[in-house]
Amino acid sequence: MSARTLPLLFLNLGGEMLYILDQRLRAQSIPGEKARKGERGAAPSAPVMNDIISTMFNRKFMEELFKPQDLYSKKALRTVYDRLAHASIMRLNQASMDKLYDLMTMAFKYQVLLCPRPRDILLVTFNHLDAIKDFISDSPGILNQVDETFRRLIETYNPLSDGEFQLIRQTLLIFFQDMHIRVSIFLKDKVQNSNGRFVLPISGPVPWGTEVPGLIRIFNHKGVEVKRAEFTSAGNYVTPQREGSFELYGDRVLKLGTNMYSVTRPVETHMSGSSKNLASQAKENIAPNPLAKEELNFLARLLGGLDIQKPAGGDSGFRLNLFTTDEEEEHAAQTRPEELSYKVINIEATQEPARRAELSRILGELDVAEPRPGSAEKGEDLLALMDGL
C-alpha cells in the first residue's frame, strides 16, 4: 500500500461532502437567521460551508494528514467526517450522516475507476479544490488556507513517478472494493448496475501520451520497425487535445471531480442487498482488528487538529435532512441494517475524570490486540492526544 494515499482520499471525499451539503442547504432553504452571519443577501450555505472548510483546511490538521502513513479503516475516516460535518451550527442525524458518507464514497470510487491515468487522480483532487475555492471566494482568510494545501499537494505529488501513482490508485481501489451502494444519479445515467457495481465505458478519450488503439508495430532485435498491422478496436476512441494543468491555476481538462449536483437532481442511496456484501461488512465490525489501537491514536492526532467552534449564545443550530422528508429519514434509520451503520462517538465532558472514564469505556469496547513493539501502553497516547479536543 502507498503511504501517500491518505491526503488524496481525505480531500476528495471532503470535496464530495461539500458538494452534497451545499446542494441540500440550498434545497432545504435554511432560514436567514440560521444561515447568515450579518451579511445581507448571503447564500444560505455560506456560513456553514465557511465553518466546515476552515476546519477541514486547518494548518495543523493538514500537517498531520500529509505525513507519510498507511491508510486506515473506513471507521476511523468516517469518524473524522462525522466531526467535520458538525464543525458548524448544522446538525445531521444518524440516517442522514450515513447517506452523506455513502454518496461521498461512491462518487469518489467512480472517479477513481474512470481516471484515464493513475496520475489523473491528482487532477480530480485539483477539481475538488477549485470548486471549494469557489465556495469561499468571499473569505480571503479561508481561501489562503485552501491555497496553502494546494501548494502542499503540488510539492508532494507532482514529483512522484507514474509507478507511485499506480500504487496510490491500487490502494484507493482496495479501500473501496467492498462498497457497492446504489445511487440514483448513477442508476439513472446507467453507469451503475442494480447490484451497485459500476459500468465502465469502452469508448472515449485515451490517456494523455498514448495513441488510439488500432495499430500494431513489430520491431526486430535491433529495435527497427519492420512491420505494421491494423485491427478494429471495440470502442470509439479519441486523442485528448491537451494535458490537464497540474499547477495552482489552470485548465484541468479532466471533468472528473467537478460538482455533479450543480444541476438539481434527486439523489438517493440504496443498499445492493448482496448477502456477501452484508456479511463482509458485518465481519469488519465484529472481527478483532489488530490495528485498532494504532487507528485510535491516528484518529486522535487528526481530531486534535480540528478546532471545532460550538454555537454561541445557546444557539443549538439547525438540522439538515439529506432525505426528501423527515418520514423518509426516520424510515431509513429504522430499516438500515445494524452492521452497516457507524457508531458516532460524542464526548461531552467538562470534568477530566468524566472524560477519562468515557475514553476508557470506548477503549474497553474494542478488542485490541497486543501493542506493537515500541508502542505506548493501551490508551495512554489516545488520552493525551484527546486532551486538546
Side-chain angles (χ1 to χ4, degrees), residues 293-310:
K293 178 193 166 296
E294 286 84 348
E295 289 182 2
L296 282 171
N297 289 332
F298 157 79
L299 183 59
R301 292 197 302 273
L302 289 183
L303 296 183
L306 295 180
D307 185 14
I308 306 297
Q309 299 295 329
K310 293 188 177 182

Side-chain angles (χ1 to χ4, degrees), residues 50 53-54 57 129-151 248-249:
N50 285 358
I53 294 170
S54 177
F57 289 91
L129 265 63
D130 287 340
I132 291 172
K133 289 168 67 174
D134 288 339
F135 287 139
I136 40 92
S137 57
D138 295 330
S139 304
I142 307 175
L143 194 59
N144 286 337
Q145 289 180 253
V146 180
D147 279 340
E148 185 176 337
T149 299
F150 224 129
R151 295 186 183 95
L248 184 60
Y249 302 101

Side-chain angles (χ1 to χ4, degrees), residues 9-19 56 81 104 132:
L9 178 62
F10 174 80
L11 292 171
N12 284 289
L13 288 179
E16 289 299 320
M17 180 181 76
L18 292 168
Y19 291 163
M56 179 177 172
Y81 289 110
M104 291 159 49
I132 291 172

Side-chain angles (χ1 to χ4, degrees), residues 217-245:
R217 295 185 178 92
I218 301 174
F219 298 85
N220 62 17
H221 66 284
K222 296 181 178 179
V224 178
E225 182 180 329
V226 295
K227 185 178 179 182
R228 289 191 175 193
E230 294 184 357
F231 66 93
T232 302
S233 61
N236 182 20
Y237 301 100
V238 294
T239 304
Q241 297 298 314
R242 60 190 182 283
E243 185 179 23
S245 172

Side-chain angles (χ1 to χ4, degrees), residues 13-253:
L13 288 179
E16 289 299 320
M17 180 181 76
L18 292 168
Y19 291 163
I20 299 162
L21 292 179
D22 177 69
Q23 190 271 340
R24 291 308 303 159
L25 285 165
R26 294 177 185 278
Q28 196 165 316
S29 300
I30 303 304
E33 65 272 13
K34 296 287 187 184
R36 294 192 287 270
K37 289 186 177 179
E39 295 184 13
R40 189 174 183 83
S45 60
V48 171
M49 300 293 280
N50 285 358
D51 289 343
I52 295 175
I53 294 170
S54 177
T55 303
M56 179 177 172
F57 289 91
N58 175 277
R59 177 179 293 183
K60 182 180 177 182
F61 183 50
M62 285 293 114
E63 287 175 356
E64 192 65 45
L65 189 73
F66 272 81
K67 291 178 181 179
Q69 54 197 298
D70 288 340
L71 201 60
Y72 280 72
S73 72
K74 300 177 181 69
K75 287 185 179 180
L77 286 175
R78 164 62 191 267
T79 306
V80 174
Y81 289 110
D82 279 333
R83 180 150 186 182
L84 196 58
H86 294 93
S88 69
I89 62 173
M90 179 191 69
R91 294 295 175 263
L92 298 168
N93 73 11
Q94 181 69 42
S96 285
M97 191 65 217
D98 283 343
K99 179 176 179 180
L100 174 63
Y101 192 70
D102 287 344
L103 291 172
M104 291 159 49
T105 52
M106 295 308 290
F108 184 45
K109 176 181 180 178
Y110 185 53
Q111 293 157 15
V112 173
L113 289 171
L114 285 188
C115 275
R117 305 175 298 174
R119 182 175 294 273
D120 289 335
I121 293 173
L122 192 54
L123 291 179
V124 175
T125 311
F126 288 171
N127 275 336
H128 279 115
L129 265 63
D130 287 340
I132 291 172
K133 289 168 67 174
D134 288 339
F135 287 139
I136 40 92
S137 57
D138 295 330
S139 304
I142 307 175
L143 194 59
N144 286 337
Q145 289 180 253
V146 180
D147 279 340
E148 185 176 337
T149 299
F150 224 129
R151 295 186 183 95
R152 193 188 297 266
L153 275 170
I154 292 171
E155 179 183 341
T156 303
Y157 290 95
N158 275 5
L160 296 186
S161 67
D162 290 338
E164 288 171 306
F165 272 106
Q166 175 64 14
L167 186 57
I168 288 174
R169 183 176 185 272
Q170 290 175 342
T171 304
L172 288 170
L173 292 176
I174 290 171
F175 179 84
F176 289 123
Q177 67 179 350
D178 293 326
M179 304 180 72
H180 307 296
I181 301 162
R182 294 178 294 153
V183 178
S184 62
I185 286 181
F186 297 139
L187 291 170
K188 290 177 181 177
D189 291 344
K190 300 188 184 304
V191 298
Q192 192 179 30
N193 291 325
S194 58
N195 61 3
R197 297 182 182 274
F198 287 111
V199 179
L200 300 183
I202 59 171
S203 299
V206 297
W208 174 259
T210 63
E211 298 181 5
V212 173
L215 180 64
I216 299 173
R217 295 185 178 92
I218 301 174
F219 298 85
N220 62 17
H221 66 284
K222 296 181 178 179
V224 178
E225 182 180 329
V226 295
K227 185 178 179 182
R228 289 191 175 193
E230 294 184 357
F231 66 93
T232 302
S233 61
N236 182 20
Y237 301 100
V238 294
T239 304
Q241 297 298 314
R242 60 190 182 283
E243 185 179 23
S245 172
F246 288 88
E247 302 302 324
L248 184 60
Y249 302 101
D251 183 4
R252 312 300 174 193
V253 179

Side-chain angles (χ1 to χ4, degrees), residues 364-379:
E365 291 177 355
L366 296 174
D367 189 357
V368 184
E370 288 297 318
R372 292 178 177 179
S375 65
E377 292 298 318
K378 179 180 178 181

